[in-house]
Amino acid sequence: MTDEVAADPYARLRAATPARIGLGRSGDGLPTRAVLEFQAAHSRARDAVHGRADFDAVAAALAPLDSLRVHSRVEDRAQYLRRPDLGRRVRESDRSLLPRGDWDLAFVIADGLSAEAVNRHAAALVHETLHRLPGWRAAPVVLAEQARVALGDEVGEALGARLVAVLVGERPGLSVADSLGVYLTWEPRLGRADSERNCISNIHANGLSVQRAADTLAWLLDEARSRRVTGVGLKLEALSAASYPPPLHPVHTE
Amino acid sequence: MSAYRITLNGRTWVFEDLRALMACASPRRSGDELAGLAAQGDEQRVAARHVLAELPLRAFLEQPLVPYEADEVTRLILDTHDAAAFAPVSGMSVGQFRDWLLSYAATTEALAALAPGLTPEMVAAVSKLMRNQDLIAVAAKCRVVTAFRSTIGLPGRLACRLQPNHPTDDPLGIAASILDGLLFGMGDAVIGINPASDSVPDTIRLLQMLDELRLRYDIPMQSCVLAHVTNSLRAIERGAPLDLVFQSIAGSEAANQGFGVNLALLREGMEAAQSLKRGTVGGNVMYFETGQGSALSANAHHGVDQQTMEVRAYAVAREFSPLLVNTVVGFIGPEYLYDSKQIIRAGLEDHCCGKLMGLPMGVDVCYTNHAEADQDDMDTLMTLLANAGVNFVIAVPGADDVMLGYQSLSWHDVLGLRHLLKLRPAPEFEAWLQRMELLDAQGRLAPPGERVMQRMLA
């Protein structure tokens, strides 16, 4: 037994898992420090869910790219959490804001369940991705409030875009509250199934980097355009043909 | 189906059929609101309960909520209904049935004999007339005992699933959480891993690791890798040391299809696990998980409220004599159970209804970060459930599941419940804890000591 293990028998084990092991006991209960650390993590996750994405700052960070703002049919966060169906639709009066055009690609930045994720990573990911796609015609970036992944279907259809990439704040966990996900859909239109999308998730400082996510997204976009498909079809083909397999995750939107 | 009508305080309410009546009688629930099935307001809700209280229990045998021809779960429910067991309550209305359940005549033995005569719809209906206190009192009278290498559900016992999940299934990381939990006396219901990867080789690797651990310390426990039943079947074919077959199930054929299962496949899984004869004190080999809202999320709810659909899943479970049934009550999120009030109520309903159906019910006392709930609410629910005689609960290190990204109970929580309410681990497991000197002379977990830890780390 090493001295380190003698001092803290958990030292070796702690390195093997992010789980909260070896917390000690106060009688049967958790020691004060463990209780407060847990509450700090939970409060960060709660604030990410209930915080507001700073879309003014996101729009500024996107410049010189054009952007525009839409709102889902949800009134407020409480309704957002109860009514996923309303978060998937664009508010009627906002549909006319979406300029129809011959777009290869539309980006939608949706606040989803983590405002922090959008504030921190979304604009950078758009820039990095477009940088890797010379010659692509991208629609103005759509900033969508109180929005879920499937809102991109209606936006993409209204814009007339061949592909839509929805950047969305993922449900926060206790260890990560600012994780961004990307959902890619070929020929977006109302009623697309989750199985028709490809997903890149876990984009944050300690997960997938923005650079690496942009590599994967640009690669997927290229593949989707040439194969004219996203979802299960693209995933299977991509995995067998790819010279570098991107980290593809099963799709669970909400 | 015919419409139901009632005039209450000068207002007349009409419910177009039995499904609408059941949905409107349900306590307020975001999932039923999302489905467009919920009562418009509290007066309508209570009016529905008045109608329901007068409805004969027999009505549920005559008017299936989900069509017999279209759904194998309905066929299972009606084809296996035990009319002789039902006889003692067959003349009762739903309201009279509630009164009887609360009466001294409804003993532990009477409730056990009645279970095969109850359909999920009868049980769901009566639960809608019950307050939380009733759900606790009636559940506490039920006893469902199952066994594999430990015996679960005996009076005065509270078992625990030790859930040592890891984001990448790292063997050392999983072992670390298991060791941490064993030192708290956890794991007597099962040591069960939700695998991050759902492949057959990974399932086998984890099963082998758990079995080596069991043999090394001679622990009277059962292990489970919560992979899809088809993966468990493949693992058995390849000779893996599999104790329990796991599967998520729901209350309609279409919803089960969404999980990639049907009754025939579940039977195949059960028979394969039984053929291994790995149990020592009992032969229950199935572990099922359920949760309100799963049928709606698969768009397979047939216009039926989420609580009734949940109890229908228990009819599926009952067919396979499971060792464990776990309702993962707060996992699904706020669009189905909005806040702690709804989660607590649903947890008590699921536990009571499962017990009335004759199932070994456990509850994952849990919530997600987008639900209006926190650890204080889990304290409330776990204490209510322990008083209601829940067979087992789930626990993870520090209440934080780092793989699934939600919060459940900690080892500390379960330990506290055992000491507070004088509940003990499963007997075979308790004897092992004593052999390992983890329990003191009074049967309480000994104060934390280095000696045991070092012995197990050696």
Side-chain angles (χ1 to χ4, degrees):
Chain A
M1 192 186 298
T2 65
D3 290 348
E4 184 197 22
V5 171
D8 175 7
Y10 277 95
R12 192 169 68 100
L13 300 179
R14 258 189 253 280
T17 179
R20 292 168 196 261
I21 59 168
L23 297 179
R25 283 165 61 191
S26 299
D28 296 338
L30 285 158
T32 304
R33 192 175 128 186
V35 169
L36 292 178
E37 280 174 1
F38 181 98
Q39 288 179 358
H42 187 230
S43 64
R44 200 162 57 234
R46 298 276 300 158
D47 284 352
V49 169
H50 292 275
R52 283 183 82 91
D54 186 351
F55 281 124
D56 289 340
V58 173
L62 283 168
L65 296 173
D66 280 341
S67 61
L68 58 90
R69 304 271 290 266
V70 300
H71 204 287
S72 77
R73 296 189 182 175
V74 163
E75 298 293 328
D76 55 26
R77 191 85 317 206
Q79 191 185 36
Y80 177 89
L81 294 172
R82 286 172 201 260
R83 293 292 303 271
D85 52 330
L86 299 178
R88 296 183 185 122
R89 297 299 306 275
V90 179
R91 191 153 66 189
E92 199 67 55
S93 56
D94 284 356
R95 278 182 58 100
S96 60
L97 302 173
L98 300 166
R100 202 169 172 80
D102 182 25
W103 312 116
D104 294 316
L105 167 66
F107 282 105
V108 176
I109 298 178
D111 44 8
L113 284 168
S114 172
E116 268 312 291
V118 164
N119 293 343
R120 290 194 187 171
H121 314 303
L125 182 57
V126 171
H127 283 303
E128 289 292 336
T129 306
L130 283 176
H131 181 67
R132 288 159 172 76
L133 299 169
W136 281 55
R137 287 173 308 247
V141 179
V142 177
L143 309 179
E145 257 183 84
Q146 305 288 7
R148 289 180 187 260
V149 169
L151 180 127
D153 295 340
E154 186 174 10
V155 167
E157 189 175 13
L159 289 167
R162 278 174 285 282
L163 280 160
V164 67
V166 181
L167 283 52
V168 62
E170 297 184 324
R171 193 181 90 195
L174 289 197
S175 47
V176 183
D178 66 336
S179 181
L180 191 75
V182 183
Y183 293 82
L184 183 62
T185 310
W186 171 256
E187 287 187 346
R189 61 186 54 133
L190 277 177
R192 282 285 184 217
D194 285 348
S195 57
E196 297 176 283
R197 311 184 201 285
N198 293 99
C199 168
I200 305 167
S201 74
N202 218 24
I203 303 166
H204 57 88
N206 297 315
L208 191 64
S209 70
V210 166
Q211 301 286 336
R212 184 81 172 80
D215 287 343
T216 305
L217 180 56
W219 183 89
L220 272 175
L221 282 161
D222 243 351
E223 291 289 315
R225 186 164 71 164
S226 59
R227 294 168 193 268
R228 308 177 66 82
V229 68
T230 50
V232 178
L234 175 60
K235 187 156 74 176
L236 294 177
E237 290 182 52
L239 284 174
S240 55
S243 51
Y244 94 90
L248 293 169
H249 301 267
V251 171
H252 299 292
T253 49
E254 270 97 24
Chain B
M1 288 193 219
S2 55
Y4 301 87
R5 180 181 299 267
I6 187 172
T7 301
L8 204 64
N9 299 327
R11 289 186 74 175
T12 296
W13 302 94
V14 180
F15 304 95
E16 65 178 29
D17 59 21
L18 194 47
R19 285 179 307 188
L21 182 68
M22 289 282 274
C24 288
S26 303
R28 187 177 176 196
R29 194 139 304 179
S30 51
D32 291 334
E33 291 172 337
L34 178 63
L37 298 170
Q40 298 299 309
D42 287 339
E43 277 196 273
Q44 187 187 18
R45 184 170 292 118
V46 175
R49 288 179 191 165
H50 277 264
V51 178
L52 192 59
E54 300 299 318
L55 189 80
L57 280 179
R58 283 182 182 288
F60 294 104
L61 295 174
E62 291 151 10
Q63 303 176 49
L65 299 184
V66 178
Y68 184 90
E69 298 72 23
D71 187 89
E72 69 170 0
V73 177
T74 300
R75 292 196 290 276
L76 172 72
I77 291 165
L78 294 178
D79 294 351
T80 61
H81 181 248
D82 185 336
F86 179 57
V89 299
S90 62
M92 293 183 191
S93 67
V94 178
Q96 288 168 332
F97 183 44
R98 173 186 170 276
D99 291 328
W100 181 82
L101 285 173
L102 290 166
S103 77
Y104 299 162
T107 59
T108 299
E109 295 71 28
L111 290 169
L114 177 63
L118 295 179
T119 68
E121 289 80 1
M122 296 173 191
V123 171
V126 77
S127 78
K128 295 175 196 300
L129 302 183
M130 293 164 81
R131 282 178 33 205
N132 286 1
Q133 166 70 352
D134 305 342
L135 296 169
I136 294 167
V138 170
K141 293 199 278 186
C142 297
R143 185 154 307 139
V144 183
V145 179
T146 56
F148 190 78
R149 288 195 197 93
S150 65
T151 307
I152 301 157
L154 293 168
R157 307 275 174 174
L158 173 64
C160 170
R161 168 182 164 197
L162 192 166
Q163 183 168 302
N165 295 341
H166 186 279
T168 59
D169 294 338
D170 177 71
L172 182 61
I174 289 172
S177 289
I178 292 175
L179 174 64
D180 199 39
L182 287 172
L183 292 171
F184 277 79
M186 303 294 125
D188 48 340
V190 64
I191 296 184
I193 304 171
N194 296 90
S197 152
D198 206 9
S199 80
V200 176
D202 287 324
T203 298
I204 293 173
R205 187 170 57 84
L206 292 172
L207 285 169
Q208 285 168 339
M209 180 202 140
L210 289 169
D211 208 46
E212 281 161 21
L213 177 97
R214 174 180 74 81
L215 294 170
R216 178 172 173 191
Y217 296 109
D218 193 25
I219 313 174
M221 58 169 259
Q222 38 279 336
S223 64
C224 187
V225 174
L226 283 73
H228 192 268
V229 58
T230 50
N231 280 11
S232 294
L233 279 164
R234 297 297 91 75
I236 291 171
E237 281 167 16
R238 296 185 198 177
L242 183 143
D243 292 341
L244 305 179
V245 167
F246 166 81
Q247 187 56 47
S248 293
I249 55 170
S252 71
E253 181 177 342
N256 282 325
Q257 225 162 46
F259 285 129
V261 298
N262 55 40
L263 298 176
L265 183 59
L266 294 174
R267 181 163 302 286
E268 197 184 329
M270 178 182 73
E271 288 171 356
Q274 283 171 337
S275 74
L276 300 179
K277 299 193 184 336
R278 291 173 58 83
T280 51
V281 296
N284 303 105
V285 297
M286 300 300 282
Y287 174 10
F288 291 119
E289 286 192 350
T290 68
Q292 292 190 25
S294 61
L296 174 61
S297 76
N299 196 27
H301 61 297
H302 297 271
V304 176
D305 69 271
Q306 70 181 34
Q307 190 256 336
T308 302
M309 290 308 289
E310 170 72 5
V311 189
R312 283 171 55 92
Y314 303 156
V316 174
R318 183 163 69 173
E319 179 66 6
F320 303 101
S321 308
L323 180 78
L324 307 162
V325 179
N326 173 33
T327 170
V328 195
V329 66
F331 187 73
I332 193 158
E335 59 268 48
Y336 301 93
L337 295 169
Y338 182 67
D339 57 12
S340 55
K341 182 176 173 67
Q342 296 188 6
I343 292 171
I344 288 168
R345 169 78 194 180
L348 295 176
E349 284 170 350
D350 292 354
H351 175 249
C352 181
C353 291
K355 284 281 174 71
L356 282 173
M357 293 284 289
L359 290 177
M361 287 306 290
V363 179
D364 191 351
V365 176
C366 66
Y367 63 103
T368 59
N369 285 320
H370 59 325
E372 291 297 316
D374 62 22
Q375 225 56 34
D376 289 338
D377 302 309
M378 300 305 106
D379 294 342
T380 303
L381 180 53
M382 73 173 185
T383 308
L384 297 175
L385 284 167
N387 279 289
V390 70
N391 281 28
F392 67 99
V393 290
I394 307 291
V396 298
D400 173 11
D401 189 306
V402 293
M403 202 283 277
L404 294 172
Y406 77 118
Q407 286 86 253
S408 180
L409 301 181
S410 66
W411 322 135
H412 304 70
D413 295 330
V414 181
L415 183 65
L417 276 181
R418 281 178 176 166
H419 288 167
L420 179 71
L421 299 172
K422 302 191 169 38
L423 299 169
R424 294 152 59 194
E428 301 83 357
F429 195 83
E430 184 181 40
W432 177 79
L433 291 170
Q434 273 154 354
R435 284 204 299 281
M436 295 297 287
E437 297 172 29
L438 282 163
L439 297 184
D440 67 15
Q442 285 77 47
R444 296 165 65 97
L445 195 78
E450 299 291 300
R451 215 153 53 86
V452 181
M453 173 91 194
Q454 286 171 3
R455 190 165 69 226
M456 292 188 72
L457 276 174

